[in-house]
């Protein structure tokens, strides 16, 4: 069964450093997303991406965040200057249609120290 | 932001019995509802969905019921199996152009007892 692949599975970084979280969505999917889950809290929407541009972003997705689909297969989330409160599980997801259920990756656990 | 609420943080059910997980929403613009299952250290896995034009959708042991007037949906699992033990998230979306943003509930931890 096709999978969404995320790397790394765990990233530890110092506050103020830049991190790039990587995702390989399912190859024929058209819609791409990033969500995050802070420990003990709900899964929160960050950003959606379609047709090579951001469709929607949440209040969390401020100027420190950016997304790219650099080569037609990867989908990356960059946090320019990490803060302690950015520590969370970050999930990438993709879907083949607007009404299709997403396929989520296994997540990257980001720990900012 | 409590647009989607799962008021039961946990539920314990005997193997073979029915599990009923509940979800309430407040945004009347939501037109599509989904249930996801999540194991520790894994991403959410899509289970079943329902469009607002329906009131029931069934897939094997899983059935989702939607009561639009009450802004309530539920997931029924019957019979419950030990492998069903996981955290279940209700999610909802509203029609937008382009990609579909999901709003998740807080999750309900389901434990199936042998």
């Amino acid at each position: 069964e096709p999978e969404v692949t995320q790397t790394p599975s765990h990233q530890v970084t110092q506050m103020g450093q830049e991190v790039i979280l990587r995702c390989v969505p399912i190859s024929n999917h058209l819609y791409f997303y990033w969500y995050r889950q802070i420990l003990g809290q709900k899964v929160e929407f960050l950003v959606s991406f379609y047709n090579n541009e951001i469709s929607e972003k949440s209040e969390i997705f401020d100027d420190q965040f950016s997304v790219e689909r650099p080569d037609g297969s990867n989908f990356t989330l960059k946090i320019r200057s990490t803060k302690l409160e950015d520590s969370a599980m970050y999930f990438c997801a993709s879907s083949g249609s607007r009404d299709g259920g997403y396929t989520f990756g296994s997540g990257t656990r980001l720990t900012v120290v | 932001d409590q647009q989607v609420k799962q008021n039961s943080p946990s539920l314990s059910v005997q193997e073979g019995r029915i599990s009923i997980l509940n979800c309430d929403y407040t945004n009347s613009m939501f037109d599509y509802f989904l249930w996801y299952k999540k194991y520790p250290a894994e991403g959410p896995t899509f289970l079943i969905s329902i469009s607002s034009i329906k009131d029931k959708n069934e897939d094997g042991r899983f059935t989702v019921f939607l009561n639009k007037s009450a802004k309530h949906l539920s997931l029924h699992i019957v019979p419950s199996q030990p492998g069903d033990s996981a955290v279940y998230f209700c999610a909802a979306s509203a029609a937008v152009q382009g990609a579909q943003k999901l709003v998740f509930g807080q999750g309900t931890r389901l434990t199936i007892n042998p």
Side-chain angles (χ1 to χ4, degrees), chain A residues 34-38 41-46 89 91 104, chain B residues 38 44 89 102-107:
Chain A
W34 283 99
Y35 284 76
R36 78 174 186 189
Q37 185 181 26
I38 294 172
Q41 298 186 24
K42 63 171 67 178
V43 177
E44 300 174 290
F45 170 78
L46 289 178
M89 280 291 289
F91 294 105
F104 280 87
Chain B
K38 187 179 181 302
F89 290 96
L102 294 182
V103 180
F104 281 86
Q106 303 94 315

Side-chain angles (χ1 to χ4, degrees), chain A residues 8-105:
Chain A
S9 57
H10 191 185
Q11 172 103 37
V12 181
T13 188
Q14 286 202 321
M15 193 168 55
Q17 294 295 304
E18 175 183 287
V19 294
I20 297 177
L21 309 183
R22 302 183 190 278
C23 171
V24 180
I26 292 174
S27 61
N28 60 349
H29 281 185
L30 301 174
Y31 302 88
F32 312 107
Y33 311 85
W34 283 99
Y35 284 76
R36 78 174 186 189
Q37 185 181 26
I38 294 172
L39 187 64
Q41 298 186 24
K42 63 171 67 178
V43 177
E44 300 174 290
F45 170 78
L46 289 178
V47 66
S48 58
F49 193 87
Y50 170 71
N51 203 24
N52 285 319
E53 61 183 17
I54 290 175
S55 293
E56 189 175 356
K57 56 186 180 180
S58 71
E59 291 175 354
I60 302 167
F61 195 90
D62 61 21
D63 291 345
Q64 295 300 312
F65 290 84
S66 62
V67 289
E68 261 194 331
R69 188 156 161 77
D71 55 13
S73 62
N74 291 284
F75 182 51
T76 61
L77 174 69
K78 183 194 291 186
I79 310 174
R80 286 189 187 79
S81 178
T82 49
K83 302 188 280 280
L84 293 176
E85 54 265 37
D86 294 328
S87 296
M89 280 291 289
Y90 287 80
F91 294 105
C92 172
S94 68
S95 65
S97 65
R98 194 214 152 248
D99 290 340
Y102 292 8
T103 300
F104 280 87

